[in-house]
Structure formats: C-alpha cells, structure tokens
Amino acid sequence: MPVFTVSAFRLPFSLPFSPATGRSWAARLSGAALVLLLTACASQGPVGPGYYRVQPGDTLSQIARDHGRNVSELMRWNNLSSANRIDKGQVLRVDPPGGSAASGANSDDSSAKNKTTRRASGGSSVPAPPKLAPGAPITDIKLIWPAPGTVARGYDGGQSRGVSIVNKPGTPIIAAAAGTVAYASNGLRGYGNLIIVRHGSTYLTIYAHNRKLLVKQGQSVKQGQTIAEMGDSDSKRVELYFELRRGGTAVDPTRALPPR
C-alpha cells in the first residue's frame, strides 16, 4: 500500500488542502514549522468530540449515515467541494459548528450513540458487531480470493491493513462476496481506481489500484462476478490492494478467506 504524503491529510479545521496549496504553504513556512505541520497531519490518534477521522474505504454518504447526518451538512461544515473527494486521515466535522442543533430529528448525543450503533442503509439502527477474539476466524462472512496472483504483502494492522496481490495488467478482479457497490470512482487519493462493496450492515470489501472499473455505484454484484481489471493506478506496480472492513475497522481478510 502506498505511503501517504502530507497532501493526503487534512487538519481538524477548515483549510483548503491540495498538492498545489501544500506547496504554497511550504514556501511560506519555516523548516521547523513545516516539520510540526507534517507531524500533526500524519497523526492517527483520536480526534475530539464532534469530529471523525476518515478511514480507508469510507465514503461521505456512509460517514453521514453513521453519524445521523446528511451529505450536504458534512459538505457545508467541512467546506467540501465534492462529495466524492475525501482523503484517508482527513478529519471531518460531524457535529454542527458551535454546538447548534442539527437539522432534522438528530439528538445532541448522536456521536456518542454511534460509538456502539451503526445505521443501516434504510436508516434503522443496528448494533455494532461483537468483538472478535484475536486471531479467531471470521465466520459470519465467507470470502473468495478476489484475484489470482502472488500475495506480495499481507495484513499487518499498521501500514498494510489488507493484502496486496500482484499479477499482470488486466487480470480480472472479482467480488469476494455478494453485495452492493457503495463506491466506484477515483476520488480517494492513494487508492487509484477504487471499488467498495458493501455486504449488509457489517462488512465492506475494498479493491484498489484497478486499471478499469466494470461496475457502478448502487449496482448489486454476485460473489465471483468480475468487477474490475487489475492495474497500477496510484501504485508503483500492477497489483490489487484488497481490504476487509468489519464494523468500520480493517481486519485481516485472510481470516475470512479460504487457504491458498
């Protein structure tokens, strides 16, 4: 998985942040100040109440749903120009500025409630999945390998939160389980042409660096259906970066995959 640079992060306050603006900041900052900025941006620690740090595979609509908000509110509170462009590590405001009441019937303690509750696509609340024992197999979803090839890097829970499978350009990428395409675009920097498939209210699978996407957002897919072609978009080599997220947290996908 690529190492994310400072341009892939945003601070917990509203500032435009792109490679171009990043260079202009660097030109105005002293060396010491720039080091502090880079350190702050790279932090993956907890965020304050009313904020959320974007995780791999997140979409703005999912974040809005999980926090009882709507997409337009999050775009307005965070000065976002597009709902399809959020970055891994970016900190988003998910409670209204100044602590004012949110639109609709959202209560002030929605963020606290959503620590243990996630909202399904229909708007109903569902309990967060129970914690897994360390190293235990995942039995509530059965995956198949999303591509043939060599596993060049496995899950380590740190920089690599999935597996990287290396093969030739154009190698078919298949859906590891049946589900609905939650995202199919290239708006998350570092992932290239990306597909995210939602499997019920608990699981997401992530397929990054594709050469070509063969499905669209909202489309239902069957297990084993070809959804993309392997490529090297936003990657230094031709590979598939594959990730499994359970209840919003990346887990080792080999715990749900058959042995190879």
Side-chain angles (χ1 to χ4, degrees):
M1 196 58 193
V3 176
F4 288 87
T5 63
V6 65
S7 64
F9 296 91
R10 291 193 183 183
L11 297 174
F13 43 84
S14 298
L15 285 176
F17 206 99
S18 68
T21 57
R23 285 192 294 271
S24 67
W25 292 354
R28 296 195 299 267
L29 289 170
S30 67
L34 182 58
V35 169
L36 290 174
L37 176 62
L38 291 170
T39 302
C41 289
S43 172
Q44 291 299 301
V47 297
Y51 291 90
Y52 173 79
R53 189 184 299 280
V54 176
Q55 301 299 311
D58 279 346
T59 63
L60 196 65
S61 59
Q62 174 198 331
I63 295 170
R65 184 167 59 245
D66 289 348
H67 291 85
R69 308 301 183 190
N70 60 55
V71 170
S72 62
E73 286 176 327
L74 296 191
M75 291 182 66
R76 184 170 68 254
W77 298 341
N78 295 282
N79 294 330
L80 300 177
S81 60
S82 171
N84 293 324
R85 296 199 68 86
I86 56 174
D87 305 322
K88 174 184 177 290
Q90 179 178 345
V91 177
L92 296 176
R93 178 184 288 277
V94 293
D95 282 348
S100 59
S103 65
N106 296 319
S107 62
D108 292 336
D109 62 348
S110 61
S111 295
K113 290 181 179 179
N114 275 285
K115 291 180 179 179
T116 56
T117 302
R118 298 183 65 83
R119 295 185 180 271
S121 58
S124 59
S125 296
V126 294
K131 291 184 178 180
L132 293 171
I138 295 174
T139 58
D140 53 347
I141 188 172
K142 296 292 185 181
L143 303 181
I144 60 175
W145 284 90
T150 301
V151 177
R153 188 172 186 181
Y155 173 93
D156 62 19
Q159 286 190 335
S160 177
R161 295 176 178 249
V163 296
S164 297
I165 303 172
V166 175
N167 210 323
K168 297 178 181 179
T171 298
I173 307 299
I174 63 175
T180 302
V181 178
Y183 184 85
S185 189
N186 60 355
L188 191 61
R189 271 174 262 168
Y191 288 81
N193 296 322
L194 172 68
I195 292 174
I196 303 171
V197 179
R198 181 178 294 278
H199 313 282
S201 60
T202 301
Y203 286 101
L204 297 171
T205 50
I206 296 168
Y207 312 76
H209 306 311
N210 303 292
R211 179 175 76 176
K212 184 177 182 180
L213 306 182
L214 303 177
V215 292
K216 297 180 179 180
Q217 184 171 333
Q219 181 177 339
S220 296
V221 295
K222 298 178 180 179
Q223 187 176 56
Q225 179 178 337
T226 301
I227 58 175
E229 295 177 358
M230 189 179 293
D232 61 355
S233 57
D234 261 351
S235 177
K236 294 181 179 179
R237 63 185 175 190
V238 176
E239 65 176 342
L240 167 68
Y241 174 74
F242 174 70
E243 189 175 302
L244 175 66
R245 296 189 66 195
R246 184 178 190 270
T249 301
V251 295
D252 186 350
T254 62
R255 296 164 69 179
L257 286 164
R260 294 187 71 170

